Amino acid sequence: MTPQNLYRGRAPDDWPAPIADRERKTALDYTAQLDLAIGALHTEGRYRTFIDIERRRGQFPHAIWTKPDGTEQQITVWCGNDYLGMGQHPVVLNAMHEALEATGAGSGGTRNISGTTVYHKRLEAELADLHGKESALLFTSAYIANDATLSTLPKLFPGLITYSDALNHASMIEGIRRNGGAKRIFRHNDMAHLRALLEADDPAAPKLIAFESVYSMDGDFGPLPELVALAEEFNALTYLDEVHAVGMYGPRGAGLAEQLGLMDRIDIINGTLGKAFGVMGGYIAASAKMCDAVRSYAPGFIFTTSLPPVIAAGAAASVAHLKTDQDLRDRHQTQARILKLRLKGLGLPIVDHGSHIVPLIVGDPKHTKMMSDMLLDQFGIYVQPINFPTVPRGTERLRFTPSPVHGPKEMDRLISGLDQLWSHCALNRAELAG
């Protein structure tokens, strides 16, 4: 609406004066406030810098880094979430090419308004089959899937009490925070604490226990058998985030719940298509009625443009392929074991809970950034520093994610670079360890 229409019927003299002309006793300097906020991150060493990289088809984990001066350098990515290299797999690329030629670029709307295609339905069917559920519901990311679902459940179950592991992902925390229902936080993987919280609440109240299978910062596992048993004892629904496990654990890659034979005892499973499956998107898998209810009530689903068909096609191909490619999963676990063994051989303080995630604890944000920068500049190794609030202060780290496409040469270069920097840089090893 133009100003003339907005103030139709009023003389120009009656229009509000420009801000610069208004009399103000005090004025907040918004730019200065932004400078303070960003400056605080710089001072603490927590300011996040984006590294401009270009993945080259068929060459992953190698990529091209465009430096600030415009020059290019080949690097090896050691912190990517494309855990199995499926973002480069011919099965995925071929499916996406075919869908692009058939449908074009975008989906054209929300799922409710012209944005549901055969590709979306095919992907949801693959995901439901993967997890042994009646149905699955596709979202644009696993973050949105968590947030939208967890924030919607109290609408479906009035009076719902949610019990959340203290180290659950930010998307789960946000969804639970926004849902308006009662919430209880139990200490990480502490079943005695969870039991005490459950016992303290009304037995008749609807309940939901939310937890993860693989916690991404330390790489530890949730005690799924104990969590499921408690949920059944107290008649609680279960909500499992399998984001860092789907594609990589279980005989068909359905995650840790499949590996432990627990999928049929878990009510809602959340997963991602952007990590092991190598594409983009998130989902929940559950009963047909649960998916229908979330689809009908969750604003995060209703009002979001659906994934492009080309993305859905690639994801469906990836899911289908990984249901049968156990060799790729085995090679992935082998590479993770080798990396942890070699880092331990150097005496470096890694965290090893038996998963594919390899955190190297540095313990100081500035030192962590320094190590990251030197690995990139001197060795062409890219690993992003992980700082507060993603991890607690004092546990800042470099988090390595080895994959089947990280070969012996890449592994040797990483070990050599870490050995040299940890032992011989200006900061000695004890200081770096914090």
Side-chain angles (χ1 to χ4, degrees), residues 1 48 58 122 186 299 311 410 427:
M1 181 178 290
R48 303 183 186 213
R122 184 180 302 158
F186 60 92
I311 298 293
E410 288 82 9
L427 297 166

Side-chain angles (χ1 to χ4, degrees), residues 44-122:
E44 295 179 34
R46 295 196 293 117
Y47 182 77
R48 303 183 186 213
T49 302
F50 291 158
I51 305 298
D52 296 333
I53 66 172
E54 181 182 354
R55 287 159 55 110
R56 297 288 173 88
R57 188 177 68 180
Q59 298 181 28
F60 186 76
H62 300 293
I64 300 300
W65 169 38
T66 302
K67 300 180 180 181
D69 63 4
T71 61
E72 295 183 345
Q73 177 183 334
Q74 181 170 290
I75 62 171
T76 303
V77 178
W78 273 97
C79 59
N81 285 334
D82 188 356
Y83 289 135
L84 301 178
M86 290 301 294
Q88 305 284 313
H89 200 286
V91 167
V92 176
L93 300 184
N94 290 338
M96 296 182 75
H97 279 298
E98 291 175 6
L100 181 63
E101 292 300 321
T103 70
S107 69
T110 67
R111 290 292 298 275
N112 292 323
I113 306 176
S114 80
T116 294
T117 71
V118 64
Y119 298 97
H120 297 88
K121 300 301 291 183
R122 184 180 302 158

Side-chain angles (χ1 to χ4, degrees), residues 187-206:
R187 292 185 291 271
H188 179 53
N189 284 349
D190 189 334
M191 296 301 94
H193 188 211
L194 175 57
R195 172 178 287 279
L197 293 173
L198 288 163
E199 289 176 339
D201 283 321
D202 181 358

Side-chain angles (χ1 to χ4, degrees), residues 2-18 22:
T2 63
Q4 287 79 7
N5 290 331
L6 182 63
Y7 296 106
R8 180 174 294 169
R10 296 170 58 183
D13 290 343
D14 294 331
W15 292 5
R22 299 179 194 172

Side-chain angles (χ1 to χ4, degrees), residues 258-326:
E258 182 192 29
Q259 183 168 300
L260 298 174
L262 296 170
M263 285 197 302
D264 61 330
R265 297 169 63 187
I266 294 172
D267 296 292
I268 306 172
I269 296 175
N270 166 275
T272 184
L273 303 167
K275 293 183 169 60
F277 294 123
V279 192
M280 176 189 176
Y283 63 90
I284 60 168
S287 68
K289 288 184 178 180
M290 181 70 77
C291 288
D292 189 27
V294 173
R295 176 189 71 84
S296 302
Y297 280 86
F301 177 86
I302 296 169
F303 298 105
T304 298
T305 299
S306 66
L307 285 173
V310 64
I311 298 293
S318 184
V319 173
H321 176 84
L322 285 177
K323 289 175 181 178
T324 62
D325 197 343
Q326 184 59 40

Side-chain angles (χ1 to χ4, degrees), residues 53 55 58-63 74-86 88 248 275 328 330-340 342 356-358 379-384 399-415 418:
I53 66 172
R55 287 159 55 110
Q59 298 181 28
F60 186 76
H62 300 293
Q74 181 170 290
I75 62 171
T76 303
V77 178
W78 273 97
C79 59
N81 285 334
D82 188 356
Y83 289 135
L84 301 178
M86 290 301 294
Q88 305 284 313
M248 296 173 290
K275 293 183 169 60
L328 193 59
D330 291 341
R331 287 191 283 127
H332 178 236
Q333 292 295 326
T334 297
Q335 290 299 89
R337 286 193 295 268
I338 291 172
L339 178 58
K340 286 184 281 190
R342 296 191 68 176
H356 60 282
I357 295 171
V358 187
F379 297 93
I381 292 169
Y382 173 43
V383 55
Q384 189 73 3
R399 190 189 65 154
F400 299 95
T401 53
S403 78
V405 293
H406 286 92
K409 291 182 179 179
E410 288 82 9
M411 187 83 71
D412 288 344
R413 187 166 182 81
L414 173 62
I415 296 301
L418 285 171

